Amino acid sequence: MLFQATKMSLSKVVVIVSALSALLSPSTFSAEPDVESTESEIRLVSAGTGVTELVLALDAGNELIAIDSTSYVPEGLAHVAKLGYHRMLSAEGIIALSPTLVVGSDVMGPETTLNVLKQANIQVVQLPATNDEPQLMSNVDTLGQLLNRPDNAVKLKQDLHQQLQSLADKKQQISDAGAQPKILFMLLQEGRGARVGGKGTAADTIIALSGAQNIAEFDGYKSMSQEGILSLQPDIILLSKRSDKPAEQTNAQIAQELIKEMPLLAHTPAGKNGHIQTLAPQALLGGLGISAISAADTLASTLLKQNQ
């Protein structure tokens, strides 16, 4: 009887332990860990002004661990590391930050760096150049998926479409008003003379979006003399300073500096009427993007005011 009682007690113990084991098994609590495991941490390196602007517009700035030297971030993200130029990235510097994702433009490189990153099992994505609205929207969709922000991508595309539609309306108003204003764009760089932006440049795209005419007929950038610029008689002169930092000078200060260095420009319609204004450096990088659209809209609004 004692043996039988002992045997029954052991059986009961086995049953109880088995029941407790089933209750406490990992599968019992599998729902929450499974959800977390599907949302792996994103450690993002953004290489290119246009890409970084889209990341911020998607409200994904908290995923950033590094940006290239052409990108800007708000003061709240001052802790984000700054890498080199997006065409000359260092694989070692990026790998040291332990990123999970590197996103850049189609000119991000060099190719050897990108290959090393891929071999280190880091996801590398190059977004096509944005020369029109469909490609811009496609890039927004791609980033929205990569950064787990599809709803934000939908909202951003709506906002961008509205901005482009508003810009198109202003462009039509300028066209209806008569002759296109003549605009000259000048890129200022320390240690080098001013260069004028012709056809095929980012400045040319912004000018065309605004509804104005770029009076520089050549392709790319070229140096021009004061006499040559004077002969073109621009209605507006657009200036931009190439720098890794946002411009600290005001529009008026930059205009005064230009006239001091190139006094003949004071005799152009732009100089006489004080129509010399600045263009944000980031608007010239990354193709058709947030800054370029904003710059074109500001220019179009200025042209409309001048026509009133």
Side-chain angles (χ1 to χ4, degrees), residues 155-229:
K155 178 63 168 58
L156 178 56
K157 287 196 300 179
Q158 292 172 345
D159 292 344
L160 289 172
H161 178 73
Q162 290 176 359
Q163 291 175 35
L164 288 168
Q165 186 59 56
S166 174
L167 185 54
D169 292 342
K170 291 178 181 179
K171 181 177 180 178
Q172 186 60 52
Q173 293 177 50
I174 293 169
S175 177
D176 293 341
Q180 288 180 308
K182 296 183 297 181
I183 296 185
L184 182 83
F185 172 75
M186 300 178 65
L187 180 63
L188 308 179
Q189 292 178 273
E190 293 185 7
R192 298 183 62 177
R195 293 192 298 159
V196 173
K199 306 303 179 184
T201 62
D204 183 58
T205 299
I206 292 171
I207 293 170
L209 278 172
S210 73
Q213 173 192 0
N214 183 1
I215 56 175
E217 295 295 335
F218 50 80
D219 294 330
Y221 285 95
K222 288 186 178 181
S223 298
M224 287 188 70
S225 66
Q226 296 185 59
E227 293 79 7
I229 294 174

Side-chain angles (χ1 to χ4, degrees), residues 65-143:
I65 60 169
I67 56 175
D68 76 304
S69 62
T70 70
S71 297
Y72 302 104
V73 291
E75 291 183 2
L77 295 175
H79 63 279
V80 173
K82 202 78 174 252
L83 303 173
Y85 188 50
H86 64 135
R87 292 174 182 258
M88 302 173 62
L89 298 173
S90 163
E92 292 78 8
I94 294 176
I95 292 174
L97 297 171
S98 301
T100 61
L101 175 63
V102 176
V103 182
S105 68
D106 57 349
V107 295
M108 175 177 66
E111 194 66 30
T112 51
T113 291
L114 303 185
N115 289 336
V116 171
L117 296 178
K118 293 173 184 177
Q119 290 170 4
N121 293 322
I122 298 171
Q123 186 178 9
V124 177
V125 177
Q126 289 181 274
L127 299 177
T130 51
N131 298 316
D132 53 33
E133 182 176 353
Q135 187 59 62
L136 176 60
M137 299 307 181
S138 176
N139 286 357
V140 171
D141 278 333
T142 299
L143 273 177

